[in-house]
CSV table of all heavy atoms in Angstrom, one decimal:
chain,number,residue,atom,x,y,z
L,283,GLY,N,13.1,-10.8,-14.1
L,283,GLY,CA,14.5,-11.3,-14.2
L,283,GLY,C,15.4,-10.3,-14.9
L,283,GLY,O,16.6,-10.2,-14.6
L,284,ALA,N,14.8,-9.5,-15.8
L,284,ALA,CA,15.6,-8.5,-16.5
L,284,ALA,C,16.0,-7.3,-15.6
L,284,ALA,O,17.0,-6.7,-15.7
L,284,ALA,CB,14.9,-8.0,-17.7
L,285,ARG,N,15.1,-7.0,-14.6
L,285,ARG,CA,15.4,-5.9,-13.7
L,285,ARG,C,16.1,-6.3,-12.5
L,285,ARG,O,16.8,-5.5,-11.8
L,285,ARG,CB,14.0,-5.3,-13.3
L,285,ARG,CG,13.4,-4.5,-14.4
L,285,ARG,CD,12.2,-3.7,-13.9
L,285,ARG,NE,11.0,-4.4,-13.7
L,285,ARG,CZ,10.4,-4.5,-12.5
L,285,ARG,NH1,11.0,-3.9,-11.4
L,285,ARG,NH2,9.3,-5.2,-12.3
L,286,HIS,N,16.1,-7.6,-12.1
L,286,HIS,CA,16.9,-8.2,-11.0
L,286,HIS,C,17.8,-9.3,-11.5
L,286,HIS,O,17.5,-10.5,-11.3
L,286,HIS,CB,15.9,-8.7,-9.9
L,286,HIS,CG,14.9,-7.6,-9.4
L,286,HIS,ND1,15.3,-6.7,-8.5
L,286,HIS,CD2,13.7,-7.3,-9.8
L,286,HIS,CE1,14.2,-5.9,-8.2
L,286,HIS,NE2,13.3,-6.3,-9.0
L,287,THR,N,18.9,-8.9,-12.1
L,287,THR,CA,19.6,-9.8,-12.9
L,287,THR,C,20.4,-10.9,-12.2
L,287,THR,O,20.8,-11.8,-12.7
L,287,THR,CB,20.7,-9.0,-13.8
L,287,THR,OG1,21.5,-8.2,-12.9
L,287,THR,CG2,19.9,-8.1,-14.8
L,288,ARG,N,20.5,-10.7,-10.8
L,288,ARG,CA,21.3,-11.7,-10.0
L,288,ARG,C,20.4,-12.3,-9.0
L,288,ARG,O,20.9,-13.0,-8.1
L,288,ARG,CB,22.5,-11.1,-9.4
L,288,ARG,CG,23.5,-10.5,-10.4
L,288,ARG,CD,24.9,-10.3,-9.8
L,288,ARG,NE,24.9,-9.3,-8.7
L,288,ARG,CZ,25.5,-8.1,-8.8
L,288,ARG,NH1,26.2,-7.8,-9.9
L,288,ARG,NH2,25.5,-7.3,-7.8
L,289,HIS,N,19.1,-12.1,-9.1
L,289,HIS,CA,18.1,-12.6,-8.1
L,289,HIS,C,17.8,-14.1,-8.4
L,289,HIS,O,17.0,-14.4,-9.3
L,289,HIS,CB,16.9,-11.8,-8.1
L,289,HIS,CG,16.0,-12.0,-6.9
L,289,HIS,ND1,15.4,-13.2,-6.6
L,289,HIS,CD2,15.6,-11.2,-5.9
L,289,HIS,CE1,14.7,-13.1,-5.5
L,289,HIS,NE2,14.8,-11.9,-5.0
L,290,GLU,N,18.4,-15.0,-7.6
L,290,GLU,CA,18.2,-16.4,-7.9
L,290,GLU,C,16.8,-16.9,-7.7
L,290,GLU,O,16.3,-17.8,-8.5
L,290,GLU,CB,19.2,-17.3,-7.1
L,290,GLU,CG,20.7,-17.1,-7.4
L,290,GLU,CD,21.6,-18.1,-6.8
L,290,GLU,OE1,21.1,-19.0,-6.1
L,290,GLU,OE2,22.8,-18.1,-7.1
L,291,GLY,N,16.1,-16.4,-6.7
L,291,GLY,CA,14.7,-16.8,-6.5
L,291,GLY,C,13.8,-16.5,-7.7
L,291,GLY,O,13.1,-17.4,-8.1
L,292,LEU,N,13.9,-15.3,-8.2
L,292,LEU,CA,13.1,-15.0,-9.4
L,292,LEU,C,13.5,-15.8,-10.6
L,292,LEU,O,12.6,-16.2,-11.4
L,292,LEU,CB,13.2,-13.5,-9.7
L,292,LEU,CG,12.6,-12.5,-8.6
L,292,LEU,CD1,13.0,-11.1,-8.9
L,292,LEU,CD2,11.1,-12.7,-8.5
L,293,HIS,N,14.8,-16.0,-10.8
L,293,HIS,CA,15.2,-16.8,-11.9
L,293,HIS,C,14.8,-18.3,-11.8
L,293,HIS,O,14.4,-18.9,-12.8
L,293,HIS,CB,16.7,-16.7,-12.1
L,293,HIS,CG,17.2,-15.4,-12.7
L,293,HIS,ND1,17.2,-14.2,-12.0
L,293,HIS,CD2,17.5,-15.1,-14.0
L,293,HIS,CE1,17.6,-13.3,-12.9
L,293,HIS,NE2,17.8,-13.8,-14.1
L,294,SER,N,14.8,-18.8,-10.6
L,294,SER,CA,14.3,-20.1,-10.4
L,294,SER,C,12.8,-20.2,-10.7
L,294,SER,O,12.3,-21.2,-11.3
L,294,SER,CB,14.5,-20.6,-9.0
L,294,SER,OG,13.6,-20.0,-8.0
L,295,GLN,N,12.0,-19.2,-10.4
L,295,GLN,CA,10.6,-19.2,-10.7
L,295,GLN,C,10.4,-19.1,-12.2
L,295,GLN,O,9.5,-19.8,-12.8
L,295,GLN,CB,9.9,-18.0,-10.0
L,295,GLN,CG,9.8,-18.2,-8.5
L,295,GLN,CD,9.3,-17.0,-7.8
L,295,GLN,OE1,9.5,-15.8,-8.3
L,295,GLN,NE2,8.5,-17.2,-6.8
L,296,LEU,N,11.2,-18.3,-12.9
L,296,LEU,CA,11.1,-18.2,-14.4
L,296,LEU,C,11.5,-19.6,-15.0
L,296,LEU,O,10.8,-20.0,-16.0
L,296,LEU,CB,12.0,-17.1,-14.9
L,296,LEU,CG,12.1,-16.9,-16.4
L,296,LEU,CD1,10.7,-16.7,-17.0
L,296,LEU,CD2,13.0,-15.8,-16.8
L,297,MET,N,12.5,-20.2,-14.5
L,297,MET,CA,12.9,-21.5,-15.0
L,297,MET,C,11.7,-22.5,-14.9
L,297,MET,O,11.4,-23.3,-15.8
L,297,MET,CB,14.1,-22.0,-14.3
L,297,MET,CG,15.4,-21.3,-14.6
L,297,MET,SD,16.8,-21.7,-13.5
L,297,MET,CE,17.0,-23.5,-13.9
L,298,VAL,N,11.1,-22.6,-13.7
L,298,VAL,CA,10.0,-23.5,-13.5
L,298,VAL,C,8.8,-23.2,-14.4
L,298,VAL,O,8.2,-24.1,-15.0
L,298,VAL,CB,9.6,-23.5,-12.0
L,298,VAL,CG1,8.3,-24.3,-11.8
L,298,VAL,CG2,10.7,-24.1,-11.2
Side-chain angles (χ1 to χ4, degrees):
R285 289 192 284 118
H286 302 278
T287 57
R288 299 198 297 247
H289 195 295
E290 291 194 357
L292 293 172
H293 282 79
S294 71
Q295 291 176 324
L296 177 56
M297 288 170 65
V298 169

